[in-house]
Amino acid sequence: MEFLDSVLIVGGGGREHAILKALLRSDRPLCTYAYPGNPGMESDGCTIVEEKISSWKDLAAWAEENEINLTIVGPEQPLVDGIVDEFRKRQLTIFGPTKAAAQIEGSKHFAKTLMRTYGIPTAAFESFTDKESALKYLRKTGVPVVVKASGLAAGKGAIVCDTMKEAEQALDDMFERKVFGDAAATVIIEEKLIGEEASVFALSDGKHYKILPVSQDHKPVFDGDKGPNTGGMGAYAPAPQVDAAMLARIEQEIIAPTLAAMTKEKLPYQGLLYAGVMITAAGPKVVEFNCRFGDPETEAVLPLVHCDWFDALSACAAGRLAEVQWTVKKGACVTVILASKGYPGHYEKGKVIIGVEEVEHGDANVDIYHAGTKLNDRGELVTNGGRVLAVSAWGASLKDAVATAYENVAKIRFEGMQYRKDIAAKGLARLVEK
Ligand code: AMP
Ligand code: GLY
């Protein structure tokens, strides 16, 4: 029997499905597993880990028993919990930062202090562990400010406050009502940055890094960036607001010094460093760092990059990223998230989804990634989360990619389906201006 490399993907959202599809696009034959995975990954030939897993230690033991050659971690929680450390104890190859390095996302206090120490541009800030000191600072600085829980809060822990009342309410929610639990034991108050955001992904092996095409997320739930923030309602890449000159600045002022700072702190960074950057009038400034691929940006970025992803991600873990080659496809990719009615608030599950196969078997430039789906008792595909599906389309231009994405979105239906109709509008406007 031919020897196959085997890969375990940790996670079960659109990002993990996009990572799987990217792995499968290369010529390398692979045996793929996912924990917990999703029905879309399964129908692409990925085996779902069915064993009872109670801890990341259990998953590492499973990976060792099953001779997994590479484990790729999608979400932040396992990384912040220390999954990489558990796998490394068993000499297993895993893509992602250690628990200590994952603090760059897991503790905003850590990330902001690192940036302050090493002169990496970011919003001015202070950290607080009690409400009185926070209020005192707030009265001194005034509004607008952003009040943030330092710990992980499922993307909901940053509150942009334009009035004093909002800021006081945010501090009350964090310190008194404890709506973010321990994640808000430390609270950051920072300057509100004005500009356009971009998501910059850099692969790093601890010594070398390589930057992927820059993308833009759409966090608010409604068109025109209205309504509450979500995990992300759509994305596109490349983002024209970051031209070659701006990217060079982001690399020199943010990516390279941050990775060098991590090494200096004896936390060499292996994995994907995601810099959420605000392009302000005074230049690029870091809004946040994440310690993993973004979702939904990954669904728009990976289809643009041709490479052997098994090799590239293994290389990050082995310190040989400098050998990795890839080519970036011309054109653009646009991802539209189809979400349940009510998301990011309360939503119902179990709505039957129609049209996925039609999209899957249609245009070769279109991918559909599962996020919150499951098969019900009758074997029907139903909704099982807030973000349900991601439709990604490649086009020779951003305009073509937008048109193809929405043509395919129109083929999908489920009760209460909501999506933004203006994904990539800011990028298109920018291209028209030029
Ligand atoms: P975070 O949890 O830090 O990723 O922030 C979530 C979102 O809040 C960001 O993507 C921004 O849209 C917004 N945000 C966070 N910090 C700032 C800031 N300093 N200025 C303006 N907007 C911000
Ligand atoms: N799309 C934002 C994130 O992945 O954090």
Side-chain angles (χ1 to χ4, degrees):
M1 203 184 106
E2 191 187 359
F3 175 77
L4 289 186
D5 284 304
S6 57
V7 183
L8 167 64
I9 300 174
V10 180
R15 162 183 52 207
E16 289 76 24
H17 195 180
I19 292 171
L20 173 72
K21 280 206 197 275
L23 285 164
L24 297 178
R25 267 195 294 272
S26 81
D27 295 332
R28 182 190 293 266
L30 289 173
C31 191
T32 57
Y33 297 88
Y35 175 78
N38 64 44
M41 294 171 84
E42 200 171 2
S43 73
D44 282 339
C46 184
T47 304
I48 304 300
V49 177
E50 302 283 1
E51 276 79 352
K52 189 173 175 305
I53 304 290
S54 317
S55 66
W56 302 125
K57 200 171 162 187
D58 283 1
L59 192 63
W62 180 92
E64 189 172 26
E65 258 162 50
N66 289 274
E67 299 181 11
I68 298 297
N69 302 104
L70 171 66
T71 298
I72 303 166
V73 188
E76 61 278 15
Q77 191 69 57
L79 294 165
V80 170
D81 290 346
I83 190 171
V84 167
D85 310 65
E86 287 298 337
F87 275 62
R88 292 215 180 132
K89 271 186 211 157
R90 294 174 191 263
Q91 267 77 51
L92 292 164
T93 303
I94 181 163
F95 172 79
T98 57
K99 178 176 179 154
Q103 283 185 89
I104 201 153
E105 174 167 1
S107 163
K108 288 190 196 292
H109 174 70
F110 170 89
K112 296 290 292 188
T113 308
L114 185 87
M115 288 188 268
R116 176 181 278 167
T117 309
Y118 290 89
I120 295 155
T122 188
F125 79 103
E126 280 310 326
S127 305
F128 303 92
T129 50
D130 71 279
K131 193 175 144 192
E132 283 61 44
S133 325
L135 276 173
K136 211 163 137 197
Y137 177 77
L138 183 64
R139 294 205 177 104
K140 201 172 73 194
T141 56
V143 285
V145 291
V146 184
V147 177
K148 295 184 176 184
S150 177
L152 291 186
K156 301 192 179 103
I159 304 175
V160 180
C161 307
D162 290 318
T163 65
M164 210 60 175
K165 202 169 156 225
E166 285 169 330
E168 283 168 7
Q169 179 68 47
L171 289 176
D172 218 48
D173 285 348
M174 293 193 187
F175 284 120
E176 305 284 336
R177 295 181 51 228
K178 304 214 184 291
V179 294
F180 299 102
D182 285 349
T186 300
V187 170
I188 315 284
I189 300 181
E190 68 179 37
E191 166 201 6
K192 179 181 172 182
L193 299 172
I194 309 291
E196 238 188 276
E197 279 186 87
S199 302
V200 183
F201 294 176
L203 286 178
S204 168
D205 68 2
K207 294 187 217 85
H208 318 94
Y209 64 85
K210 270 173 95 78
I211 298 179
L212 287 157
V214 176
S215 55
Q216 189 172 55
D217 190 8
H218 296 66
K219 285 205 164 83
V221 68
F222 300 128
D223 287 5
D225 287 335
K226 301 277 185 335
N229 271 355
T230 66
M233 292 299 286
Y236 62 102
Q241 47 280 29
V242 178
D243 59 12
M246 182 52 71
L247 185 59
R249 281 193 72 177
I250 293 171
E251 178 172 356
Q252 283 155 24
E253 295 171 27
I254 295 172
I255 302 295
T258 301
L259 291 169
M262 292 296 279
T263 301
K264 202 126 188 247
E265 294 294 315
K266 302 211 167 26
L267 301 169
Y269 195 90
Q270 291 187 325
L272 187 125
L273 180 69
Y274 162 151
V277 175
M278 189 77 83
I279 315 294
T280 73
K285 293 192 181 187
V286 176
V287 172
E288 59 164 343
F289 283 120
N290 293 321
C291 64
R292 36 84 195 169
F293 281 102
D295 194 353
E297 295 98 316
T298 302
E299 292 93 307
V301 170
L302 293 189
L304 289 175
V305 184
H306 282 269
C307 88
D308 178 343
W309 282 105
F310 176 86
D311 185 54
L313 301 185
S314 305
C316 284
R320 52 173 187 81
L321 183 61
E323 292 165 21
V324 171
Q325 303 281 337
W326 66 50
T327 54
V328 176
K329 198 169 165 178
K330 289 207 164 52
C333 193
V334 171
T335 300
V336 180
I337 294 290
L338 309 183
S340 297
K341 182 179 164 190
Y343 173 75
H346 173 77
Y347 54 84
E348 288 176 11
K349 295 181 180 176
K351 309 292 179 195
V352 175
I353 306 168
I354 312 284
V356 170
E357 281 189 13
E358 192 190 335
V359 173
E360 242 163 22
H361 299 132
D363 192 333
N365 290 320
V366 178
D367 281 310
I368 183 154
Y369 302 115
H370 290 232
T373 68
K374 72 168 197 179
L375 296 174
N376 68 11
D377 296 344
R378 291 194 293 276
E380 297 162 317
L381 188 70
V382 296
T383 64
N384 194 41
R387 293 193 290 179
V388 176
L389 292 162
V391 175
S392 277
W394 175 86
S397 66
L398 184 58
K399 195 167 164 228
D400 289 352
V402 169
T404 308
Y406 283 108
E407 269 163 36
N408 283 274
V409 164
K411 295 176 185 165
I412 312 274
R413 269 174 296 135
F414 56 84
E415 192 190 315
M417 177 170 113
Q418 61 158 338
Y419 59 92
R420 277 185 62 162
K421 320 256 177 333
D422 65 345
I423 301 303
K426 284 199 283 257
L428 287 173
R430 179 78 52 153
L431 291 173
V432 170
E433 268 170 35
K434 274 191 180 168

